[in-house]
Every structure is written in structure tokens, then in C-alpha cells.
Amino acid sequence: MSEAGQSEISDYRDSRRVRLQTLVRLRWLAVVGQSLTVYLVHVWIAFPLPYMVCGAMIGLLAFFNFYLSVRYPPTLRLAPQATLALLTIDLLELAGVLFVTGGLSNPFAPLLCVPVIISSSTQPIRYTLALGLLLILFVSILTFSPYPLPWYPGSSYTMPTELIVGIWLAILTTTAFAAVYSYRVSLEAMQLSEALAATELVLQRENHLTQLDGLAAAAAHELGTPLATISLVAKEMERELATDERYGEDVQLLRSQAERCRDILRRLTTLSSEEAEAMKLLPLSSLIEEVTAPHRDFGIRIIVIEKTPRETEPVGARNAGIIYGLGNLVENAVDYARNHVVVTTEARNDKVIVTIEDDGEGYSPDILQRIGEPYVTSRSREDNAGGLGLGLFIAKTLLERSGARLSFGNSSGEKGGARVSVEWPRHRMDVSRAK
């Protein structure tokens, strides 16, 4: 992938950093929730509890949150270290409130898993593991809290030790399960988004190459007038200085080169005006030839089998996504073939089918189950370890955008080999039947 493409994907990864505003809002929610809970328990239910101590800890969290809101812009995206520090403070504050209000016997103890789950969905795994270790430490300390659970005045509630141990285990297992699930979901979403970003970059490049003929025509049109003026002036100078020993040859050279430039621009203009419209349309046979031509000089024979006469073959609009997608599939087949690659085309009344087969080792069973996912290499060989595994995903995505349906498998013959079938509805590949 180009440096520009890698830079855009790197920018996308940076954009996944948590915004300060997100954590600030979650903290205000925690401050309001904890304050309301302490107030209701102390005033409405009238359970005795260390009201001032709880209020002091909640107040410190609120003050720190207010300071962050004033000191830093809300759009600031936090580095993983900063996010870990803030989530650690949240975890410490909540553990402190729980410690003086009954420890693990407090029904709000499971809320301790929230900071770890938030970290698992946005932060690198090592930071989440560090926060998880702190959670284990805090939960273990809460197990031995000397403060009783707030209860009716004149009575106390003591939870059995077995139940305390069960709550300790439940909090840790719940945190582990939720954190792993959140991490996997966010990782897959990130990989998919990065792969789609790479797909868009490839499609932009292909469209840019397709539009170069239009840029050449525009350049020829714009340069025509000043070049005609140069030619006219050169002609006048040649008439006046043709016999001059010092400048005569230079003027003749200037005029001849100006005429040469006019001829080049004339050819560009002629190509654009007469052939541009024709180049926008591509018969199926020409499409396959354009796709296979760059891969014929690598020692692998490419055999094209046309099951449909060219007189009745579909003629479709040039599509950069189709050209790149099929080219990638052919390139992949050439890379893993032993001797030859067979490309078969068939145009029926209702659909167009292109099949690409090679005589290589084929797809391994585990790869077949995951084809279509980003960052999955297309074969089982280890010599392809240098790639990102994005090529097949990009090709599949671009072809599916054009209306194609892809199927991957291995040939049933004795020699085996991989087999890819690409199928479009006929109207998507034939301008005469386009809806």
C-alpha cells in the first residue's frame, strides 16, 4: 500500500482514541448517579452511612472533572496512557465509596467492571490488562472491608462469607467476559473500517488513472492557443532571420519544435474526441484481455476460454472497480499457480460469469471459512507473510459493489487448485440491457 494510504489508515487509528468529552460526560453521569444514590439511602431510606466521606470522594471526582472540562478542549483525543490514568481514577473513586459502604456486600459493587469494559473497547490490550489487574486488587481489598453495609438503624446486615466470595468471583468473571467480547467487537469493527478505507483509496487511484485521458484532452485544448501564438511568432522570426548566421538555425529549430508540439497535441485531441467515447465501453473479451495482460510475463501461462461468441458478448461501461477486482484475482492465481491459470467467461441471457482457476495448492479449509474478512491472507503458504491480507478483501468489496456475487472454492479435478467464480446479472455488464 502507498505511503499516503498507510498515512490515512494511521490517521483513522488515531481518530479511534477516546475523546475527553466522552469520558467527561460519563463521569458527570457517575457523579450524579452516586450523589443521588447516597442522598436517597441517607435521607429517604434513612440508612446510616458515612455521608461526609462519600460526599468528599464524589466531590473530588466532580472537581477534577470540572477542571478537565475547563482546562482542555472537549475535542481532545486522549493518548492511551492518559485514558488509563483517568479510568484508574474512576475505578479508585468508586472502590473508595464502596469500601466505606459495605464493600462487596454493597449491591452496586458490580459497577466496578465498567472502567475495564470501556478500556477494552477503545484501548490497546496491554492497558486494559493493567486496569484489570488493578480491578482484581481493589475487589480483593473490598472483600475485607471493615465497614458494614448501611442498614436499618439499630440492626445490621452481615453477608455470609461464601456469598462474598461468590460476588468476588462473579465480578471478575463478568468483567473478563464483557471485556473480551467488547475488545473483539471493537477490533473487528476497526479492521473492517481500515480495510474499507484502503478500498476507497484503491478505487480513487483507479478512477484517477481512468480520468487521465480527459485531463490530457483538457491540457491539449488549453495549450493549443498559446502554442499557435508561439508558432506564428516563430514563423515571423524565421522570415526575418533566416539568413542570419547567428540566429537563423536557432529560429528554424524553434519553429520545427513548435510544429512538433502542435502535432502531439493534435494527436491527443484526436484520441480524445474520436476514441474517448469508445474507450468508455468495454466488451467482455476486451475486459478480460485488459485484466490478464499485465500478468502474462511471469512464467505462468494464462488460458482464456470464451464460451460465448463475441458477436453476442455483453458490452459494458468501463468500471475501475471491476478491472482492479478481477486483476487482483488473476494476480493472486498467477502467484500460486504451478504452470497455468484458466480464465473462463460465459454470458447467458440472465447473467455473466467469469471463473478463474489455477493449478496450485488451492485454499486451505480454514481460509475458505474466513474469505471475505479483512487481514486474511488468501492462501495457506507462509511465503506470503509480508502482505497485509487486504488484497482479496478489496477485490471482493469492489466487485460486490458492481453487483457481482463471488464464490470461492477448490477445483474438483485431480490437480486441485483454487477456483473463484464471479457472477453478475446480465444487465449490470451490458449497456444495452441496463435498467
Side-chain angles (χ1 to χ4, degrees):
M1 186 182 298
S2 66
E3 292 184 0
Q6 292 177 350
S7 176
E8 288 202 19
I9 290 179
S10 177
D11 292 342
Y12 169 77
R13 286 176 174 170
D14 290 340
S15 70
R16 288 191 71 253
R17 293 183 176 184
V18 180
R19 287 195 309 169
L20 176 62
Q21 187 179 37
T22 301
L23 289 183
V24 165
R25 288 177 176 176
L26 289 175
R27 275 186 165 183
W28 284 129
L29 183 62
V31 168
V32 172
Q34 292 178 27
S35 301
L36 185 60
T37 302
V38 171
Y39 175 80
L40 291 177
V41 172
H42 181 70
V43 176
W44 186 48
I45 307 179
F47 285 175
L49 79 163
Y51 182 80
M52 297 301 296
V53 176
C54 294
M57 287 188 286
I58 297 173
L60 286 175
L61 182 64
F63 175 79
F64 183 55
N65 209 36
F66 177 76
Y67 171 78
L68 293 176
S69 302
V70 176
R71 176 64 176 81
Y72 299 99
T75 55
L76 174 66
R77 293 192 178 273
L78 301 173
Q81 297 87 344
T83 304
L84 175 63
L86 295 180
L87 292 176
T88 299
I89 292 174
D90 295 339
L91 185 61
L92 179 61
E93 184 272 339
L94 180 57
V97 173
L98 292 172
F99 184 77
V100 298
T101 55
L104 291 188
S105 60
N106 191 310
F108 293 98
L111 289 176
L112 287 167
C113 67
V114 173
V116 180
I117 295 174
I118 293 175
S119 176
S120 68
S121 63
T122 59
Q123 302 304 303
I125 190 170
R126 62 181 181 274
Y127 296 100
T128 302
L129 291 175
L131 197 62
L133 292 177
L134 286 176
L135 174 65
I136 295 175
L137 175 63
F138 292 159
V139 172
S140 301
I141 293 175
L142 290 177
T143 304
F144 304 99
S145 171
Y147 297 94
L149 178 70
W151 203 244
Y152 294 101
S155 63
S156 62
Y157 177 81
T158 303
M159 186 172 290
T161 303
E162 295 81 1
L163 193 55
I164 293 291
V165 174
I167 294 175
W168 179 87
L169 184 61
I171 291 175
L172 296 185
T173 54
T174 300
T175 303
F177 175 80
V180 170
Y181 177 80
S182 178
Y183 171 76
R184 288 300 308 172
V185 170
S186 63
L187 178 63
E188 291 175 4
M190 181 191 70
Q191 290 180 342
L192 180 60
S193 297
E194 290 180 355
L196 289 176
T199 302
E200 293 296 336
L201 291 174
V202 168
L203 188 57
Q204 289 175 12
R205 186 192 68 178
E206 294 298 319
N207 286 329
H208 175 71
L209 293 176
T210 302
Q211 293 168 359
L212 284 180
D213 57 340
L215 294 176
H221 177 75
E222 294 295 331
L223 291 174
T225 301
L227 191 57
T229 303
I230 294 174
S231 298
L232 179 61
V233 173
K235 184 177 181 180
E236 294 296 331
M237 293 176 63
E238 182 182 19
R239 184 180 302 170
E240 296 294 333
L241 302 174
T243 58
D244 190 285
E245 296 180 355
R246 291 179 301 172
Y247 303 112
E249 293 183 1
D250 293 338
V251 171
Q252 291 177 1
L253 179 61
L254 175 63
R255 184 185 177 190
S256 65
Q257 293 302 310
E259 290 296 331
R260 182 183 177 189
C261 290
R262 292 187 65 182
D263 291 338
I264 294 174
L265 291 180
R266 190 180 300 112
R267 287 198 297 270
L268 287 176
T269 305
T270 302
L271 173 64
S272 177
S273 61
E274 296 180 358
E275 300 181 13
E277 291 300 322
M279 291 179 64
K280 291 180 181 179
L281 299 178
L282 206 59
L284 181 61
S285 56
S286 300
L287 169 65
I288 298 303
E289 180 58 32
E290 183 171 340
V291 165
T292 57
H295 309 290
R296 291 185 178 275
D297 299 324
F298 296 95
I300 300 297
R301 189 160 58 103
I302 299 179
I303 305 170
V304 178
I305 301 176
E306 300 176 3
K307 292 187 176 181
T308 303
R310 294 195 174 185
E311 294 78 11
T312 60
E313 68 176 343
V315 178
R318 177 182 290 273
N319 186 310
I322 293 177
I323 294 173
Y324 180 88
L326 289 178
N328 185 277
L329 296 179
V330 172
E331 179 183 9
N332 187 66
V334 169
D335 287 343
Y336 290 95
R338 295 188 180 94
N339 299 303
H340 66 269
V341 171
V342 179
V343 181
T344 305
T345 64
E346 181 179 4
R348 302 177 185 175
N349 290 330
D350 58 339
K351 57 186 176 182
V352 176
I353 305 172
V354 176
T355 304
I356 302 171
E357 299 176 282
D358 62 65
D359 60 347
E361 298 178 358
Y363 297 108
S364 61
D366 59 320
I367 293 297
L368 273 177
Q369 295 177 358
R370 300 179 59 198
I371 282 183
E373 298 180 11
Y375 302 99
V376 175
T377 54
S378 55
R379 303 293 176 96
S380 58
R381 282 189 195 171
E382 296 180 356
D383 57 7
N384 197 35
L388 290 176
L390 276 177
L392 191 59
F393 172 83
I394 293 175
K396 184 174 182 292
T397 301
L398 292 177
L399 290 171
E400 287 177 344
R401 285 185 178 182
S402 70
R405 184 177 63 184
L406 284 75
S407 60
F408 299 84
N410 293 321
S411 301
S412 57
E414 296 181 358
K415 296 183 178 180
R419 183 178 187 274
V420 183
S421 179
V422 187
E423 179 181 316
W424 293 268
R426 173 91 184 211
H427 69 271
R428 301 297 294 266
M429 296 292 286
D430 196 341
V431 293
S432 64
R433 301 191 183 187
K435 296 181 179 180

